[in-house]
Amino acid sequence: MTLAVRYTSARTLDTAPAAGSEPGPGEVELAPAYVGICGTDLHIFHGDMDARVATPAVLGHEMAGRIVRVGPGVEGWRPGDAVTVMPLRWDGTCPACRAGHQHICQHLDFIGIDSPGAMQQRWTVPASTLIRLPATLPLDRAALVEPTAVAVHDVGRAAVKNGEKVVVVGGGPVGILIALVARATGAEVRVVELNAHRRLLAEELGLSTWDPAAADITELVQQWTGEAGADVAFEVSGAAGGVDTAVDALGVRGRLCLVAIHPRPREINLHRFFWRELTLVGARLYDRGDFERAVALVADGTIPAQRLITKIVPMTEAPAAFEALESGGDVMKILVDCTDDTQGAAV
């Protein structure tokens, strides 16, 4: 019997025994080492996704670990291999899949939300979801590959190019990752963030930041761009004010990439879109190419994953970790340590 962190009801998590399952055909059993807590996990914790999540639910989709067993018919993988998981299972038959957009399948199973996730000591998943990790990459850092893949996808959707001026509204983990990926693409980047701790971390990573409580962001953008406006803005804050800031930052034919999940409809200045011929693109999830690029960026240090990890906690402290993230403050990314020394999980 192994342990799992489970969501049972709004604001309630427990750590309970979980029965492992023998990997079937095409499946592998993993020993998750480290699992990150993300904003979607917090939405589940708050009870906002009860209509979608069946309780008790094992959470977690940002992970790194090792293969324990492989099921029948699995080739190219063996016990001990270091892996992360692209937590998507699509049907292959819906209109989105037939058009080549499997990652936004109309009947998508997002593993860790719609089915059991990684915050457990043993986890059985389809071998098709595995992404190989370099043997030299520490598994705690590798747990940030999934959110980095989100950032890679976002920057790709916005078609960021070398030399462009990019404004990232929201300096949480995903916002910082987007800024770092955009910078690696050759863009000049500014991060707009209210939280002083997050601004300080961004600046320590070599990013320039603006405090919207201290200055008029639109005026700063005009000064920075010679009154041209930004080429690209990413809305990562999830706030109505963040939408306004992102739209107002854009110059003629600028691109707004919507990253944050807005739980309710927002007003938006459509006249600005008309007047400047702006483009709005949505960005959701990732594909295998995004994941492979993310692995390379974390492995070569372009993404300094260790700097984004605030702390690592044992499974029994997961509830307190969710509460710490909920409060904001000086917390960026918290990982849950799911290693199981009693069963010899290699990490």
Side-chain angles (χ1 to χ4, degrees), residues 189-251:
V189 183
R190 297 293 184 271
V191 177
V192 179
E193 172 57 47
L194 280 166
N195 183 282
H197 173 75
R198 289 178 169 180
R199 288 199 310 275
L200 177 60
L201 176 60
E203 290 163 5
E204 290 174 347
L205 297 177
L207 297 167
S208 297
T209 68
W210 288 330
D211 178 1
D216 184 305
I217 300 302
T218 302
E219 179 59 31
L220 291 175
V221 170
Q222 292 301 299
Q223 295 172 9
W224 177 44
T225 63
E227 300 188 353
D231 300 293
V232 180
F234 292 90
E235 203 308 281
V236 201
S237 72
V243 176
D244 293 338
T245 297
V247 172
D248 291 344
L250 290 169

Short mmCIF file of all heavy atoms in Angstrom, two decimals, residues 189-251:
data_model
loop_
_atom_site.label_atom_id
_atom_site.label_comp_id
_atom_site.label_asym_id
_atom_site.label_seq_id
_atom_site.Cartn_x
_atom_site.Cartn_y
_atom_site.Cartn_z
N VAL A 189 11.94 42.29 -22.51
CA VAL A 189 10.78 41.94 -21.68
C VAL A 189 10.67 42.86 -20.47
O VAL A 189 11.68 43.22 -19.85
CB VAL A 189 10.88 40.47 -21.20
CG1 VAL A 189 9.64 40.08 -20.40
CG2 VAL A 189 11.07 39.52 -22.38
N ARG A 190 9.42 43.20 -20.14
CA ARG A 190 9.10 43.88 -18.90
C ARG A 190 8.00 43.10 -18.19
O ARG A 190 7.03 42.67 -18.83
CB ARG A 190 8.62 45.33 -19.14
CG ARG A 190 9.66 46.23 -19.79
CD ARG A 190 10.84 46.49 -18.86
NE ARG A 190 11.80 47.44 -19.43
CZ ARG A 190 12.82 47.11 -20.19
NH1 ARG A 190 13.03 45.83 -20.51
NH2 ARG A 190 13.64 48.03 -20.65
N VAL A 191 8.16 42.90 -16.89
CA VAL A 191 7.19 42.16 -16.08
C VAL A 191 6.44 43.15 -15.19
O VAL A 191 7.07 43.91 -14.45
CB VAL A 191 7.87 41.09 -15.22
CG1 VAL A 191 6.84 40.37 -14.33
CG2 VAL A 191 8.62 40.08 -16.10
N VAL A 192 5.13 43.14 -15.26
CA VAL A 192 4.29 44.01 -14.43
C VAL A 192 3.75 43.18 -13.27
O VAL A 192 3.05 42.18 -13.48
CB VAL A 192 3.11 44.58 -15.25
CG1 VAL A 192 2.22 45.46 -14.38
CG2 VAL A 192 3.63 45.35 -16.46
N GLU A 193 4.10 43.57 -12.05
CA GLU A 193 3.73 42.76 -10.88
C GLU A 193 3.60 43.65 -9.64
O GLU A 193 4.49 44.46 -9.36
CB GLU A 193 4.77 41.66 -10.65
CG GLU A 193 4.61 40.88 -9.37
CD GLU A 193 3.26 40.20 -9.23
OE1 GLU A 193 2.81 39.56 -10.20
OE2 GLU A 193 2.66 40.33 -8.15
N LEU A 194 2.51 43.47 -8.90
CA LEU A 194 2.28 44.23 -7.68
C LEU A 194 3.14 43.73 -6.51
O LEU A 194 3.62 44.52 -5.70
CB LEU A 194 0.80 44.14 -7.28
CG LEU A 194 -0.17 45.06 -8.00
CD1 LEU A 194 -1.60 44.60 -7.74
CD2 LEU A 194 0.02 46.50 -7.54
N ASN A 195 3.33 42.42 -6.43
CA ASN A 195 3.99 41.82 -5.28
C ASN A 195 5.49 42.10 -5.28
O ASN A 195 6.21 41.77 -6.23
CB ASN A 195 3.74 40.31 -5.28
CG ASN A 195 4.33 39.60 -4.08
OD1 ASN A 195 5.52 39.37 -4.02
ND2 ASN A 195 3.48 39.27 -3.11
N ALA A 196 5.97 42.72 -4.20
CA ALA A 196 7.38 43.14 -4.14
C ALA A 196 8.33 41.95 -4.16
O ALA A 196 9.41 42.01 -4.77
CB ALA A 196 7.63 43.98 -2.89
N HIS A 197 7.96 40.86 -3.48
CA HIS A 197 8.83 39.67 -3.46
C HIS A 197 8.98 39.10 -4.86
O HIS A 197 10.09 38.73 -5.27
CB HIS A 197 8.25 38.62 -2.52
CG HIS A 197 8.99 37.31 -2.56
ND1 HIS A 197 10.21 37.13 -1.96
CD2 HIS A 197 8.69 36.12 -3.16
CE1 HIS A 197 10.63 35.89 -2.17
NE2 HIS A 197 9.72 35.26 -2.90
N ARG A 198 7.89 39.03 -5.61
CA ARG A 198 7.97 38.49 -6.96
C ARG A 198 8.78 39.40 -7.88
O ARG A 198 9.52 38.92 -8.74
CB ARG A 198 6.56 38.26 -7.50
CG ARG A 198 5.85 37.09 -6.82
CD ARG A 198 4.44 36.90 -7.34
NE ARG A 198 3.88 35.64 -6.86
CZ ARG A 198 2.66 35.20 -7.16
NH1 ARG A 198 1.88 35.93 -7.93
NH2 ARG A 198 2.24 34.05 -6.69
N ARG A 199 8.61 40.71 -7.71
CA ARG A 199 9.43 41.62 -8.51
C ARG A 199 10.91 41.44 -8.20
O ARG A 199 11.75 41.42 -9.12
CB ARG A 199 9.03 43.08 -8.25
CG ARG A 199 7.69 43.49 -8.82
CD ARG A 199 7.57 45.02 -8.93
NE ARG A 199 7.92 45.70 -7.69
CZ ARG A 199 7.07 45.92 -6.69
NH1 ARG A 199 5.83 45.47 -6.77
NH2 ARG A 199 7.46 46.57 -5.61
N LEU A 200 11.24 41.30 -6.93
CA LEU A 200 12.64 41.12 -6.54
C LEU A 200 13.21 39.85 -7.16
O LEU A 200 14.34 39.86 -7.69
CB LEU A 200 12.77 41.08 -5.02
CG LEU A 200 14.19 40.84 -4.46
CD1 LEU A 200 15.14 41.94 -4.93
CD2 LEU A 200 14.17 40.74 -2.95
N LEU A 201 12.45 38.76 -7.10
CA LEU A 201 12.93 37.51 -7.70
C LEU A 201 13.14 37.67 -9.20
O LEU A 201 14.16 37.23 -9.74
CB LEU A 201 11.95 36.37 -7.41
CG LEU A 201 12.29 35.03 -8.07
CD1 LEU A 201 13.65 34.52 -7.61
CD2 LEU A 201 11.21 33.99 -7.79
N ALA A 202 12.20 38.31 -9.86
CA ALA A 202 12.33 38.52 -11.30
C ALA A 202 13.59 39.33 -11.61
O ALA A 202 14.34 39.01 -12.55
CB ALA A 202 11.09 39.23 -11.84
N GLU A 203 13.84 40.35 -10.82
CA GLU A 203 15.02 41.19 -11.04
C GLU A 203 16.30 40.41 -10.77
O GLU A 203 17.31 40.59 -11.47
CB GLU A 203 14.92 42.43 -10.17
CG GLU A 203 13.83 43.40 -10.65
CD GLU A 203 13.42 44.42 -9.61
OE1 GLU A 203 14.05 44.44 -8.53
OE2 GLU A 203 12.47 45.17 -9.86
N GLU A 204 16.28 39.53 -9.77
CA GLU A 204 17.45 38.69 -9.51
C GLU A 204 17.73 37.75 -10.67
O GLU A 204 18.88 37.31 -10.86
CB GLU A 204 17.24 37.89 -8.22
CG GLU A 204 17.28 38.76 -6.95
CD GLU A 204 16.93 37.98 -5.70
OE1 GLU A 204 16.42 36.84 -5.84
OE2 GLU A 204 17.15 38.50 -4.60
N LEU A 205 16.70 37.44 -11.45
CA LEU A 205 16.86 36.59 -12.62
C LEU A 205 17.20 37.41 -13.87
O LEU A 205 17.26 36.87 -14.97
CB LEU A 205 15.58 35.78 -12.87
CG LEU A 205 15.19 34.80 -11.75
CD1 LEU A 205 13.87 34.11 -12.08
CD2 LEU A 205 16.29 33.77 -11.54
N GLY A 206 17.43 38.70 -13.67
CA GLY A 206 17.83 39.56 -14.78
C GLY A 206 16.70 40.16 -15.57
O GLY A 206 16.92 40.73 -16.65
N LEU A 207 15.48 40.06 -15.05
CA LEU A 207 14.32 40.63 -15.74
C LEU A 207 14.03 42.03 -15.20
O LEU A 207 14.24 42.30 -14.02
CB LEU A 207 13.09 39.73 -15.52
CG LEU A 207 13.18 38.31 -16.10
CD1 LEU A 207 12.05 37.44 -15.55
CD2 LEU A 207 13.14 38.34 -17.63
N SER A 208 13.54 42.89 -16.05
CA SER A 208 13.14 44.23 -15.64
C SER A 208 11.66 44.21 -15.24
O SER A 208 10.84 43.56 -15.91
CB SER A 208 13.34 45.23 -16.78
OG SER A 208 14.72 45.32 -17.11
N THR A 209 11.31 44.91 -14.17
CA THR A 209 9.94 44.87 -13.66
C THR A 209 9.38 46.27 -13.49
O THR A 209 10.12 47.25 -13.32
CB THR A 209 9.87 44.14 -12.31
OG1 THR A 209 10.54 44.92 -11.30
CG2 THR A 209 10.50 42.77 -12.37
N TRP A 210 8.06 46.35 -13.49
CA TRP A 210 7.33 47.57 -13.20
C TRP A 210 6.29 47.28 -12.13
O TRP A 210 5.61 46.24 -12.18
CB TRP A 210 6.62 48.09 -14.46
CG TRP A 210 7.52 48.66 -15.49
CD1 TRP A 210 8.72 49.29 -15.31
CD2 TRP A 210 7.29 48.68 -16.91
NE1 TRP A 210 9.25 49.69 -16.51
CE2 TRP A 210 8.40 49.34 -17.50
CE3 TRP A 210 6.27 48.21 -17.71
CZ2 TRP A 210 8.50 49.54 -18.88
CZ3 TRP A 210 6.35 48.41 -19.08
CH2 TRP A 210 7.46 49.06 -19.67
N ASP A 211 6.13 48.21 -11.20
CA ASP A 211 5.14 48.12 -10.14
C ASP A 211 3.94 48.98 -10.54
O ASP A 211 4.03 50.21 -10.59
CB ASP A 211 5.73 48.63 -8.82
CG ASP A 211 4.74 48.61 -7.67
OD1 ASP A 211 3.58 48.17 -7.88
OD2 ASP A 211 5.12 49.01 -6.56
N PRO A 212 2.78 48.37 -10.82
CA PRO A 212 1.63 49.16 -11.28
C PRO A 212 1.05 50.07 -10.20
O PRO A 212 0.28 50.98 -10.51
CB PRO A 212 0.62 48.10 -11.71
CG PRO A 212 0.99 46.88 -10.95
CD PRO A 212 2.49 46.92 -10.81
N ALA A 213 1.43 49.82 -8.94
CA ALA A 213 0.96 50.69 -7.86
C ALA A 213 1.80 51.96 -7.76
O ALA A 213 1.39 52.93 -7.11
CB ALA A 213 0.98 49.95 -6.53
N ALA A 214 2.95 51.95 -8.39
CA ALA A 214 3.89 53.07 -8.25
C ALA A 214 3.99 53.95 -9.48
O ALA A 214 4.53 55.05 -9.41
CB ALA A 214 5.28 52.54 -7.88
N ALA A 215 3.50 53.47 -10.61
CA ALA A 215 3.66 54.24 -11.85
C ALA A 215 2.56 53.86 -12.84
O ALA A 215 1.93 52.80 -12.72
CB ALA A 215 5.04 53.98 -12.46
N ASP A 216 2.35 54.72 -13.81
CA ASP A 216 1.38 54.46 -14.88
C ASP A 216 2.06 53.55 -15.92
O ASP A 216 3.01 53.96 -16.59
CB ASP A 216 0.97 55.79 -15.52
CG ASP A 216 -0.11 55.61 -16.58
OD1 ASP A 216 0.11 54.82 -17.52
OD2 ASP A 216 -1.16 56.27 -16.48
N ILE A 217 1.57 52.32 -16.03
CA ILE A 217 2.23 51.34 -16.90
C ILE A 217 2.16 51.78 -18.36
O ILE A 217 3.13 51.63 -19.12
CB ILE A 217 1.61 49.95 -16.72
CG1 ILE A 217 1.76 49.47 -15.27
CG2 ILE A 217 2.25 48.95 -17.68
CD1 ILE A 217 3.19 49.42 -14.78
N THR A 218 1.03 52.34 -18.77
CA THR A 218 0.91 52.79 -20.16
C THR A 218 1.96 53.83 -20.49
O THR A 218 2.59 53.81 -21.56
CB THR A 218 -0.49 53.35 -20.43
OG1 THR A 218 -1.47 52.34 -20.14
CG2 THR A 218 -0.64 53.76 -21.88
N GLU A 219 2.19 54.75 -19.56
CA GLU A 219 3.21 55.78 -19.78
C GLU A 219 4.60 55.17 -19.84
O GLU A 219 5.43 55.55 -20.68
CB GLU A 219 3.13 56.82 -18.67
CG GLU A 219 4.16 57.94 -18.78
CD GLU A 219 4.06 58.74 -20.07
OE1 GLU A 219 2.93 58.86 -20.61
OE2 GLU A 219 5.10 59.22 -20.54
N LEU A 220 4.87 54.19 -18.96
CA LEU A 220 6.17 53.52 -18.99
C LEU A 220 6.39 52.80 -20.32
O LEU A 220 7.50 52.82 -20.88
CB LEU A 220 6.29 52.54 -17.83
CG LEU A 220 6.38 53.14 -16.43
CD1 LEU A 220 6.35 52.04 -15.38
CD2 LEU A 220 7.64 53.99 -16.29
N VAL A 221 5.34 52.17 -20.83
CA VAL A 221 5.45 51.47 -22.12
C VAL A 221 5.75 52.47 -23.23
O VAL A 221 6.60 52.23 -24.10
CB VAL A 221 4.15 50.70 -22.43
CG1 VAL A 221 4.17 50.18 -23.87
CG2 VAL A 221 3.97 49.53 -21.47
N GLN A 222 5.08 53.62 -23.20
CA GLN A 222 5.31 54.63 -24.23
C GLN A 222 6.76 55.13 -24.20
O GLN A 222 7.40 55.29 -25.24
CB GLN A 222 4.35 55.79 -24.04
CG GLN A 222 2.89 55.45 -24.31
CD GLN A 222 2.68 54.95 -25.74
OE1 GLN A 222 2.94 55.64 -26.72
NE2 GLN A 222 2.22 53.71 -25.86
N GLN A 223 7.29 55.35 -23.00
CA GLN A 223 8.68 55.79 -22.87
C GLN A 223 9.64 54.72 -23.37
O GLN A 223 10.63 55.01 -24.05
CB GLN A 223 8.98 56.14 -21.42
CG GLN A 223 8.20 57.34 -20.89
CD GLN A 223 8.38 57.53 -19.40
OE1 GLN A 223 9.22 56.87 -18.76
NE2 GLN A 223 7.59 58.42 -18.82
N TRP A 224 9.36 53.48 -23.03
CA TRP A 224 10.23 52.35 -23.37
C TRP A 224 10.27 52.09 -24.87
O TRP A 224 11.30 51.73 -25.43
CB TRP A 224 9.74 51.12 -22.61
CG TRP A 224 10.44 49.83 -22.87
CD1 TRP A 224 11.78 49.61 -22.94
CD2 TRP A 224 9.81 48.55 -23.06
NE1 TRP A 224 12.04 48.27 -23.17
CE2 TRP A 224 10.84 47.60 -23.23
CE3 TRP A 224 8.50 48.11 -23.07
CZ2 TRP A 224 10.60 46.25 -23.44
CZ3 TRP A 224 8.23 46.76 -23.26
CH2 TRP A 224 9.29 45.84 -23.45
N THR A 225 9.12 52.28 -25.52
CA THR A 225 8.98 51.91 -26.94
C THR A 225 9.04 53.10 -27.87
O THR A 225 8.82 52.94 -29.08
CB THR A 225 7.65 51.17 -27.17
OG1 THR A 225 6.57 52.08 -26.87
CG2 THR A 225 7.54 49.93 -26.30
N GLY A 226 9.34 54.30 -27.35
CA GLY A 226 9.33 55.47 -28.21
C GLY A 226 7.95 55.78 -28.74
O GLY A 226 7.79 56.19 -29.90
N GLU A 227 6.95 55.54 -27.89
CA GLU A 227 5.53 55.78 -28.17
C GLU A 227 4.94 54.84 -29.21
O GLU A 227 3.83 55.06 -29.70
CB GLU A 227 5.29 57.24 -28.58
CG GLU A 227 5.70 58.25 -27.50
CD GLU A 227 5.28 59.66 -27.82
OE1 GLU A 227 4.78 59.91 -28.93
OE2 GLU A 227 5.46 60.53 -26.94
N ALA A 228 5.65 53.75 -29.50
CA ALA A 228 5.13 52.78 -30.47
C ALA A 228 4.19 51.77 -29.83
O ALA A 228 3.28 51.25 -30.48
CB ALA A 228 6.28 52.05 -31.15
N GLY A 229 4.39 51.49 -28.55
CA GLY A 229 3.63 50.43 -27.89
C GLY A 229 4.33 49.09 -28.02
O GLY A 229 5.21 48.90 -28.89
N ALA A 230 3.95 48.17 -27.16
CA ALA A 230 4.59 46.84 -27.16
C ALA A 230 4.11 46.01 -28.33
O ALA A 230 3.00 46.18 -28.85
CB ALA A 230 4.28 46.13 -25.84
N ASP A 231 4.96 45.08 -28.76
CA ASP A 231 4.58 44.15 -29.83
C ASP A 231 3.67 43.05 -29.32
O ASP A 231 2.76 42.60 -30.03
CB ASP A 231 5.84 43.52 -30.45
CG ASP A 231 6.76 44.56 -31.05
OD1 ASP A 231 6.38 45.18 -32.06
OD2 ASP A 231 7.86 44.77 -30.48
N VAL A 232 3.94 42.59 -28.09
CA VAL A 232 3.19 41.48 -27.51
C VAL A 232 2.94 41.77 -26.04
O VAL A 232 3.81 42.31 -25.35
CB VAL A 232 3.97 40.14 -27.64
CG1 VAL A 232 3.18 38.99 -27.03
CG2 VAL A 232 4.32 39.84 -29.08
N ALA A 233 1.75 41.41 -25.57
CA ALA A 233 1.45 41.43 -24.14
C ALA A 233 0.86 40.10 -23.74
O ALA A 233 0.03 39.54 -24.47
CB ALA A 233 0.49 42.57 -23.79
N PHE A 234 1.29 39.59 -22.59
CA PHE A 234 0.74 38.36 -22.02
C PHE A 234 -0.08 38.73 -20.79
O PHE A 234 0.43 39.40 -19.89
CB PHE A 234 1.85 37.39 -21.61
CG PHE A 234 2.61 36.81 -22.77
CD1 PHE A 234 3.74 37.44 -23.26
CD2 PHE A 234 2.20 35.63 -23.37
CE1 PHE A 234 4.45 36.92 -24.33
CE2 PHE A 234 2.89 35.09 -24.44
CZ PHE A 234 4.03 35.74 -24.92
N GLU A 235 -1.35 38.30 -20.75
CA GLU A 235 -2.17 38.53 -19.57
C GLU A 235 -2.13 37.27 -18.72
O GLU A 235 -2.72 36.25 -19.05
CB GLU A 235 -3.62 38.84 -19.98
CG GLU A 235 -4.42 39.61 -18.95
CD GLU A 235 -4.41 39.03 -17.55
OE1 GLU A 235 -5.14 38.06 -17.30
OE2 GLU A 235 -3.63 39.52 -16.70
N VAL A 236 -1.41 37.35 -17.59
CA VAL A 236 -1.20 36.18 -16.74
C VAL A 236 -1.74 36.42 -15.33
O VAL A 236 -1.67 35.54 -14.48
CB VAL A 236 0.32 35.82 -16.67
CG1 VAL A 236 0.51 34.37 -16.25
CG2 VAL A 236 1.00 36.03 -18.02
N SER A 237 -2.31 37.60 -15.10
CA SER A 237 -2.73 37.95 -13.74
C SER A 237 -4.08 37.37 -13.37
O SER A 237 -4.35 37.11 -12.19
CB SER A 237 -2.80 39.48 -13.60
OG SER A 237 -3.89 40.01 -14.32
N GLY A 238 -4.96 37.20 -14.34
CA GLY A 238 -6.31 36.73 -14.05
C GLY A 238 -7.22 37.81 -13.49
O GLY A 238 -8.34 37.51 -13.05
N ALA A 239 -6.79 39.05 -13.51
CA ALA A 239 -7.55 40.17 -12.95
C ALA A 239 -8.06 41.07 -14.06
O ALA A 239 -7.43 41.21 -15.11
CB ALA A 239 -6.69 40.97 -11.98
N ALA A 240 -9.21 41.72 -13.82
CA ALA A 240 -9.77 42.63 -14.80
C ALA A 240 -8.80 43.75 -15.12
O ALA A 240 -8.63 44.14 -16.29
CB ALA A 240 -11.09 43.19 -14.29
N GLY A 241 -8.14 44.28 -14.09
CA GLY A 241 -7.16 45.33 -14.31
C GLY A 241 -6.00 44.87 -15.15
O GLY A 241 -5.41 45.67 -15.91
N GLY A 242 -5.63 43.60 -15.02
CA GLY A 242 -4.55 43.06 -15.83
C GLY A 242 -4.90 43.04 -17.30
O GLY A 242 -4.04 43.29 -18.16
N VAL A 243 -6.17 42.75 -17.62
CA VAL A 243 -6.61 42.77 -19.01
C VAL A 243 -6.46 44.17 -19.58
O VAL A 243 -5.93 44.37 -20.68
CB VAL A 243 -8.06 42.29 -19.13
CG1 VAL A 243 -8.56 42.42 -20.57
CG2 VAL A 243 -8.20 40.85 -18.66
N ASP A 244 -6.93 45.17 -18.83
CA ASP A 244 -6.82 46.56 -19.30
C ASP A 244 -5.36 46.96 -19.52
O ASP A 244 -5.02 47.60 -20.52
CB ASP A 244 -7.47 47.50 -18.28
CG ASP A 244 -8.97 47.31 -18.18
OD1 ASP A 244 -9.57 46.78 -19.14
OD2 ASP A 244 -9.54 47.69 -17.14
N THR A 245 -4.51 46.58 -18.57
CA THR A 245 -3.08 46.93 -18.69
C THR A 245 -2.47 46.31 -19.93
O THR A 245 -1.73 46.97 -20.67
CB THR A 245 -2.32 46.46 -17.44
OG1 THR A 245 -2.83 47.14 -16.29
CG2 THR A 245 -0.83 46.72 -17.56
N ALA A 246 -2.78 45.04 -20.18
CA ALA A 246 -2.21 44.34 -21.33
C ALA A 246 -2.68 44.96 -22.64
O ALA A 246 -1.88 45.17 -23.57
CB ALA A 246 -2.57 42.86 -21.27
N VAL A 247 -3.98 45.26 -22.74
CA VAL A 247 -4.51 45.85 -23.97
C VAL A 247 -3.90 47.23 -24.21
O VAL A 247 -3.47 47.56 -25.32
CB VAL A 247 -6.05 45.92 -23.91
CG1 VAL A 247 -6.59 46.72 -25.10
CG2 VAL A 247 -6.66 44.53 -23.91
N ASP A 248 -3.85 48.04 -23.17
CA ASP A 248 -3.35 49.41 -23.31
C ASP A 248 -1.86 49.45 -23.64
O ASP A 248 -1.36 50.45 -24.17
CB ASP A 248 -3.61 50.21 -22.04
CG ASP A 248 -5.09 50.49 -21.82
OD1 ASP A 248 -5.87 50.32 -22.79
OD2 ASP A 248 -5.47 50.85 -20.69
N ALA A 249 -1.13 48.38 -23.31
CA ALA A 249 0.31 48.35 -23.58
C ALA A 249 0.64 48.15 -25.05
O ALA A 249 1.75 48.48 -25.48
CB ALA A 249 0.97 47.23 -22.76
N LEU A 250 -0.31 47.65 -25.83
CA LEU A 250 0.00 47.20 -27.18
C LEU A 250 0.02 48.33 -28.20
O LEU A 250 -0.80 49.26 -28.16
CB LEU A 250 -1.02 46.15 -27.62
CG LEU A 250 -0.90 44.81 -26.91
CD1 LEU A 250 -2.10 43.93 -27.22
CD2 LEU A 250 0.40 44.10 -27.29
N GLY A 251 0.95 48.22 -29.12
CA GLY A 251 1.03 49.14 -30.24
C GLY A 251 0.23 48.62 -31.43
O GLY A 251 -0.50 47.63 -31.34
#
